């Protein structure tokens, strides 16, 4: 493998969030340690299995809230890849935290994946990496079209109601919390602060930021609330 190989073998998992909207599940564990009902495995366990299946051999897990709970689980679990944990010495913000974690990747001259610690998804990371490589992007975001949690009402030009649509897909694409970064991306991150307000807009202006729409039928869910856990369990059972 070379530094120009489009398929990363290393990843950063951002797992430091407090998950206040998931209480009481997160009273005694960080958000990525919450189990998906019916699986017996925490969110991060599903993520690491997915990364390994996509060719990742090394992952850096950035811990924060109740870091020792996550570190203890990682130390005792049978993992399908090598895992290193890091804890920020002080709050660095999302961009600073990503830069800090990326410093522990084993191959600083090669591309890397990153994922938020509360995302449960399945799609081809290799396809996303090839997309990133073909566009010569510095960073590529996975883009999801989540379902709107309310029913929609369809009307005609006269204001007559035509139909009711239960939880339709959003007309807008959103940042799905999964990324491919070139080796050079780390140096563009702030030491402190939020890269989504600084680095990403700059790269977008320079046309060096790409967006990879998740393939039709790909599973994606952000686990933010207790309802998300319930819905994920239903989808799994279905």
């Amino acid at each position: 493998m070379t530094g120009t190989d489009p398929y990363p073998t290393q990843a950063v998992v951002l797992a430091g969030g407090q998950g206040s909207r998931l209480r009481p599940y997160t009273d005694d564990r960080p958000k990525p340690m919450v189990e998906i009902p019916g699986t017996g495995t925490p969110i991060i366990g599903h993520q690491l299995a997915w990364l390994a299946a996509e060719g990742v051999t090394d992952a850096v897990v950035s811990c924060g809230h109740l870091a020792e709970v996550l570190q203890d689980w990682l130390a005792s679990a049978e993992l399908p890849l090598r895992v290193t944990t890091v804890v920020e010495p002080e709050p660095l913000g999302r961009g600073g935290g990503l830069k800090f974690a990326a410093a522990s990747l084993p191959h600083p001259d090669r591309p890397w994946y990153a994922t938020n610690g509360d995302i449960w998804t399945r799609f081809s990371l290799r396809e996303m990496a090839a997309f990133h490589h073909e566009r010569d992007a510095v960073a590529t975001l996975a883009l999801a079209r989540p379902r709107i949690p309310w029913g929609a009402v369809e009307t005609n030009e006269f204001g007559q109601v035509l139909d009711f649509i239960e939880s339709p897909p959003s007309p807008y694409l959103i940042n799905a919390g999964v990324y491919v970064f070139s080796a050079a991306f780390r140096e563009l991150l702030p030491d402190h602060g939020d890269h989504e307000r600084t680095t990403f807009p700059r790269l977008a202006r320079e046309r060096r930021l790409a967006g990879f729409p998740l393939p039709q039928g790909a599973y994606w869910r952000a686990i933010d609330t207790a309802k998300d856990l319930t819905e994920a369990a239903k989808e799994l059972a279905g």
Side-chain angles (χ1 to χ4, degrees), residues 164-181:
F164 298 90
I165 306 164
E166 189 62 34
S167 299
S170 167
Y172 297 104
L173 292 165
I174 67 162
N175 180 349
V178 180
Y179 312 90
V180 183
F181 297 134

Side-chain angles (χ1 to χ4, degrees), residues 17-73:
Q18 291 197 12
S20 54
R21 289 195 292 164
L22 263 173
R23 287 179 177 152
Y25 297 102
T26 50
D27 284 346
D28 60 354
R29 68 196 63 195
K31 194 176 184 183
M33 280 300 299
V34 173
E35 290 185 6
I36 303 291
T39 70
T41 303
I43 297 166
I44 194 165
H46 293 282
Q47 286 190 321
L48 293 174
W50 173 53
L51 290 171
E54 291 292 324
V56 174
T57 58
D58 293 271
V60 177
V61 177
S62 177
C63 309
H65 174 65
L66 297 174
E68 64 282 356
V69 177
L70 178 50
Q71 289 172 320
D72 288 348
W73 183 82

Side-chain angles (χ1 to χ4, degrees), residues 6-8 50-51 54 111-115 121 123-137 139-144 174-181 200 209-215 220:
Y7 305 120
W50 173 53
L51 290 171
E54 291 292 324
W112 45 293
Y113 297 118
T115 180
T121 186
F123 65 91
S124 173
L125 280 175
R126 289 183 177 93
E127 283 183 21
M128 183 177 173
F131 179 96
H132 168 86
H133 187 69
E134 286 162 5
R135 283 149 187 79
D136 198 25
T140 297
L141 292 65
L143 302 176
I174 67 162
N175 180 349
V178 180
Y179 312 90
V180 183
F181 297 134
F200 279 174
L209 183 67
F212 175 77
L214 294 190
W220 179 88

Side-chain angles (χ1 to χ4, degrees), residues 21 40 42 57 73 80 83 96 103 117 130 166 191 202 205 208 234:
R21 289 195 292 164
T57 58
W73 183 82
V83 172
E166 189 62 34
D191 293 326
R202 173 183 158 193
R205 289 192 298 270
R208 296 195 294 162
K234 275 189 204 167

Side-chain angles (χ1 to χ4, degrees), residues 195-210:
H195 60 296
E196 295 193 12
R197 295 178 182 273
T198 55
T199 311
F200 279 174
R202 173 183 158 193
L203 289 175
R205 289 192 298 270
E206 296 170 353
R207 299 295 186 266
R208 296 195 294 162
L209 183 67

